[in-house]
Structure formats: structure tokens, C-alpha cells
Amino acid sequence: GLLCDYLGAPAGALYVVNGGGRLKRVATRGLAGEDAAPAEFGRGEGLVGACATDRRLVVAEDLPGGYFR
């Protein structure tokens, strides 16, 4: 929750690189259950993988209603 509080984000997911080089979800906040965010991504796969490849943080704002379902 601390990172979401710092960013002013109502929801989020935190991923770390595991031993196999894949991004593994280690925490969520404000999401509708465990299935609301994929458990793993490969580098370059989806927005999470693109952020890891580009080594940048993305804060998505003004998302449409129901985006996190």
C-alpha cells in the first residue's frame, strides 16, 4: 500500500524479476481479486513487460469505468 499511497494511486500491482527472468506479481492493492492482474509476464509482454524492458514506471490515469474488472 505504501507505493500506491506515495503515487496517489487507488490500485496497483507490483512485479519483480524472478530467477527465470520473468516478471512475477508479488503484491496488489485495490484490485478485484487475485485474477485481476496476471501472475507473470515476460519482458516486452503487455504494458508490464514493456515497462520492464524500457526500465520505466508508468502511472495510468483517467482509466474508463470497469477497467480493473
Side-chain angles (χ1 to χ4, degrees):
L2 182 62
L3 184 58
C4 283
D5 290 344
Y6 178 76
L7 295 172
L14 179 66
Y15 291 82
V16 297
V17 178
N18 67 18
R22 291 187 57 79
L23 297 145
K24 180 178 177 5
R25 185 188 67 228
V26 294
T28 62
R29 178 177 179 194
L31 300 179
E34 284 291 311
D35 296 333
E40 288 192 0
F41 283 96
R43 288 188 181 265
E45 183 180 318
L47 181 59
V48 172
C51 289
T53 298
D54 296 346
R55 300 183 70 102
R56 65 184 172 93
L57 172 70
V58 170
V59 177
E61 299 177 307
D62 300 320
L63 299 171
Y67 184 82
F68 289 113
R69 280 191 236 165

